[in-house]
Amino acid sequence: MAKTDEVKSTPPEDLDLLLPPEVTGLRLLWWRVRNAEELRWVRVAALRVIFGVIMIVLWESASGTLIDHRTISSPSLLVTSFFEISDPANPDGSLWVHFSYTVENTFWGYLLGALAGIMFGFLLAEIEVVALVIEPFIMAFNGVPRIAYAPLFIAWFGIERQPKIILVMTIVFFLTFVSTFAGIRGVSRDLINVSRVLGGSKLAILRKIVIPSASPWIFNGLKISIPFGMVGAIVGEYIIADKGLGYLLQRYNNEYYTTGLILIIFLLMILVIMVNQILNWAEGRALRWRPTSRMGQETVIPG
Amino acid sequence: MTASLSIRQVGKRFLSRGTIVHAMSDVNLDVGEGEFVTIVGPSGCGKSTLLNILAGLFPPSSGEVHFRGERTRGLNPEIGYVTQQDNLLPWRTLRKNVLLPLEFRGVSVSNGVAERVQTLIDKVGLSGFENHYPHELSGGMRQRVNIIRTLICDPRVILMDEPFGPLDAQTRLTLQNQLLELWREERKTIVFITHDLAEAITLADRVVVMTGRPGTIKSVTPVTIPRPRDVYHIHDSQAYREIYDKLWEELRDEVAKVM
């Protein structure tokens, strides 16, 4: 039987076919490094490192010469104060005490919020009437900047961990809820009808069609929730706490300790990137079937 | 020939933006066991609605559908449905997509089943692509997977809703040819909707022309061209041209009304 269609993928081009004729020696080597498909990531990584180094050098040399080092600190100041602050003998508590306090609060808030968000997303997407009735209420509650709720949560739940965890929870809940809901609502009607005709029971269709269809949306909700959830923990600590990175930010701010502020910002960056990488990896494994894109999926950083 | 499907006085009304739309009314048709019937008509004449009713996705507003003498209620495992969109699961490989209906029916994949899956895959020329994902296949290949996914459950009746509509002309001919071969071997009853008159004549034992909304049957024309048919050259025969002219004559008025 004749095959008229072809598979869409094409074999990689033989690089030498593209080789300009007059290139030789060291220039040839350079040309190969620049054009080899396998070296793509190495090239990007190398350029990233170079970019980072240039920024650090510029920063270090500008600090104390062009701009006062109390305003912009400097990389070397950051390193020394990092060791100072993270010393276990630090009377204010080591940096790691604060760090783990914030991470724990974020983790529990994130876990509980995400579980509740996904469950509610499924439930409401299946029950049309409830979804219609409570939609405006949810949107109203979610529309208010979360910091406005923080004083209330503190009044209700005290000044310990609970209000911080709950603040994180509410943020993560809505983001995962909305994305799960949208994901399930977006499952193609045709696909479900076809599955019914093919003999799928309601449960089997949920397991084999609905959940896999919605999973890219759910993952997306989980990913955008990370930085937003962290905002919740930090804001909670910023308002009132005696521990946590938010508390440190607030204290250093009062003391005009820029080096400490910048240090914590860097710490938060590293944390978000790490968690994001873990989720990207999990997503990549769960959604292996998707056509691969060149760029990794990055999280949205909230303003 | 005994009737496999009989459609008795079937009509469908539904509510759209506050007005009642008569999609179809008074459709009567008997489809024989093992018969290949094609349906043509202007767009919006309720062809797809008719197919959805036959598949049991929703009931008719009036009239009845009988399958092998019994009135149908809801979905029927003996009736398969091939849609215009391939509706494959993008997270499953070709082979796993074909296995889906068996999983739904709780059929364990024994040697016999695996063999049948492979035979069907080979028959439509997809060997070597078993572990490809849908996004790695062309439109024609995906539609073939859609068809064998329906065949794997061995239904008596297969409903097809413009299955080759989105494909290019050459691919379409190839698939028509394969469909005729599958039909000859498996002896299914097929009800096939198309907007392509040439396709309708090439495939059918009888061609049904439907009128514009509310859709009803305007004529039923037997295609006497002997089988097996050569899909690539059938257009040259005198019999084909006569049927084509007659059907086009009927269809033209209906299309003009809708325009």
Side-chain angles (χ1 to χ4, degrees):
Chain A
M1 219 162 274
K3 249 180 252 161
T4 47
D5 340 312
E6 282 167 38
V7 206
K8 276 176 188 164
S9 62
T10 49
E13 292 281 341
D14 188 357
L15 202 58
D16 287 341
L17 291 177
L18 305 168
L19 188 66
E22 69 281 8
V23 176
T24 50
L26 266 181
R27 282 184 60 206
L28 177 65
L29 187 70
W30 181 232
W31 186 88
R32 283 195 192 282
V33 171
R34 271 181 46 196
N35 288 286
E37 192 63 24
E38 312 88 83
L39 294 179
R40 199 187 151 80
W41 283 109
V42 180
R43 285 197 302 268
V44 173
L47 288 174
R48 281 178 182 170
V49 169
I50 291 169
F51 180 74
V53 169
I54 290 173
M55 295 299 286
I56 290 171
V57 169
L58 283 179
W59 184 8
E60 184 70 50
S61 48
S63 171
T65 54
L66 288 172
I67 309 167
D68 191 337
H69 68 81
R70 277 168 302 189
T71 310
I72 61 161
S73 185
S74 78
S76 54
L77 277 173
L78 277 179
V79 174
T80 41
S81 65
F82 172 76
F83 286 112
E84 262 167 44
I85 301 173
S86 54
D87 187 349
N90 186 352
D92 297 330
S94 156
L95 180 62
W96 301 115
V97 174
H98 298 287
F99 180 78
S100 52
Y101 185 77
T102 303
V103 169
E104 279 165 30
N105 291 347
T106 311
F107 173 79
W108 288 113
Y110 184 85
L111 191 73
L112 296 172
L115 282 177
I118 292 171
M119 265 168 45
F120 259 72
F122 268 96
L123 228 61
L124 258 65
E126 295 291 329
I127 312 170
E128 178 97 36
V129 185
V130 183
L132 274 175
V133 171
I134 74 168
E135 198 218 337
F137 297 98
I138 287 186
M139 288 309 139
F141 187 83
N142 192 36
V144 178
R146 219 46 56 96
I147 189 166
Y149 296 115
L152 265 187
F153 289 161
I154 288 162
W156 292 343
F157 305 108
I159 57 167
E160 293 295 320
R161 282 171 188 277
Q162 293 89 327
K164 284 115 196 167
I165 293 177
I166 287 166
L167 204 57
V168 177
M169 248 180 80
T170 58
I171 294 173
V172 175
F173 171 80
F174 283 107
L175 290 172
T176 48
F177 164 74
V178 168
S179 53
T180 305
F181 185 80
I184 290 173
R185 278 307 172 88
V187 178
S188 144
R189 271 283 10 127
D190 285 352
L191 204 54
I192 290 180
N193 276 339
V194 163
S195 307
R196 285 174 58 208
V197 173
L198 291 174
S201 65
K202 238 183 140 49
L203 187 69
I205 289 175
L206 182 73
R207 271 186 46 223
K208 290 178 193 286
I209 314 288
V210 175
I211 292 178
S213 288
S215 58
W217 276 269
I218 298 174
F219 265 109
N220 206 33
L222 286 176
K223 281 195 333 190
I224 55 174
S225 300
I226 299 170
F228 283 100
M230 205 167 291
V231 168
I234 303 280
V235 165
E237 290 162 2
Y238 201 95
I239 293 172
I240 187 161
D242 55 2
K243 255 192 261 171
L245 296 178
Y247 158 76
L248 283 186
L249 278 176
Q250 188 259 355
R251 243 190 75 178
Y252 294 159
N253 186 32
N254 288 342
E255 295 166 2
Y256 203 67
Y257 181 33
T258 18
T259 305
L261 288 172
I262 293 172
L263 190 66
I264 287 166
I265 290 169
F266 272 108
L267 212 58
L268 289 172
M269 281 180 187
I270 293 167
L271 189 62
V272 170
I273 289 170
M274 266 167 39
V275 179
N276 197 32
Q277 281 311 107
I278 294 171
L279 261 182
N280 268 343
W281 173 82
E283 185 186 27
R285 279 188 64 90
L287 308 179
R288 251 172 311 192
W289 49 273
R290 283 210 298 199
T292 47
S293 66
R294 279 267 161 78
M295 296 295 288
Q297 302 243 323
E298 309 291 336
T299 49
V300 182
I301 306 298
Chain B
M1 224 187 284
T2 52
S4 173
L5 276 174
S6 26
I7 305 162
R8 309 251 171 91
Q9 251 122 36
V10 163
K12 183 73 187 173
R13 299 176 291 275
F14 51 83
L15 203 61
S16 170
R17 296 177 187 233
T19 54
I20 293 174
V21 177
H22 291 259
M24 237 174 21
S25 69
D26 205 26
V27 174
N28 286 292
L29 184 69
D30 276 350
V31 182
E33 197 83 55
E35 193 184 13
F36 201 135
V37 169
T38 56
I39 302 177
V40 290
S43 45
C45 74
K47 299 183 296 248
S48 298
T49 310
L50 179 62
L51 233 50
N52 285 336
I53 290 171
L54 294 180
L57 282 169
F58 48 72
S61 310
S62 56
E64 296 172 2
V65 176
H66 293 250
F67 170 68
R68 314 190 94 214
E70 295 217 9
R71 188 170 174 184
T72 59
R73 278 168 228 284
L75 299 162
N76 188 334
E78 296 278 16
I79 299 177
Y81 194 175
V82 176
T83 45
Q84 181 172 11
Q85 301 303 319
D86 53 68
N87 282 314
L88 299 180
L89 306 184
W91 55 88
R92 280 177 172 243
T93 59
L94 187 161
R95 206 182 122 76
K96 285 242 171 192
N97 262 295
V98 178
L99 287 171
L100 180 73
L102 298 176
E103 290 176 23
F104 277 154
R105 283 153 205 239
V107 178
S108 59
V109 183
S110 60
N111 285 340
V113 171
E115 214 168 275
R116 165 131 172 98
V117 170
Q118 196 55 51
T119 311
L120 279 173
I121 290 174
D122 295 345
K123 236 184 237 177
V124 294
L126 289 174
S127 351
F129 295 101
E130 291 85 352
N131 295 321
H132 283 58
Y133 286 99
H135 71 86
E136 297 170 307
L137 305 172
S138 68
M141 293 168 118
R142 285 204 295 269
Q143 200 52 271
R144 284 182 245 181
V145 180
N146 188 14
I147 291 170
I148 59 174
R149 178 175 67 175
T150 298
L151 278 173
I152 196 73
C153 303
D154 215 15
R156 285 174 185 277
V157 176
I158 299 177
L159 310 169
M160 304 181 102
D161 188 1
E162 298 193 26
F164 308 146
L167 306 178
D168 63 82
Q170 291 98 333
T171 311
R172 190 188 264 242
L173 283 181
T174 316
L175 262 71
Q176 288 170 6
N177 198 27
Q178 287 184 350
L179 179 64
L180 282 179
E181 274 176 40
L182 284 172
W183 175 70
R184 204 177 59 217
E185 288 165 25
E186 313 247 340
R187 285 332 259 179
K188 306 292 182 195
T189 306
I190 297 184
V191 180
F192 186 109
I193 286 177
T194 177
H195 56 252
D196 178 354
L197 205 47
E199 182 170 80
I201 299 166
T202 306
L203 299 173
D205 291 322
R206 288 189 294 160
V207 180
V208 175
V209 176
M210 282 183 77
T211 64
R213 190 168 279 173
T216 190
I217 290 175
K218 180 167 188 171
S219 72
V220 180
T221 308
V223 180
T224 46
I225 303 168
R227 296 183 188 269
R229 294 179 189 160
D230 179 353
V231 300
Y232 305 100
H233 297 106
I234 191 170
H235 315 90
D236 303 333
S237 81
Q238 185 59 32
Y240 171 87
R241 250 177 270 153
E242 275 165 22
I243 297 171
Y244 191 96
D245 289 343
K246 171 184 180 288
L247 289 175
W248 177 236
E249 213 44 50
E250 287 167 7
L251 199 56
R252 195 173 49 189
D253 300 340
E254 296 307 324
V255 174
K257 271 185 228 164
V258 188
M259 291 305 237

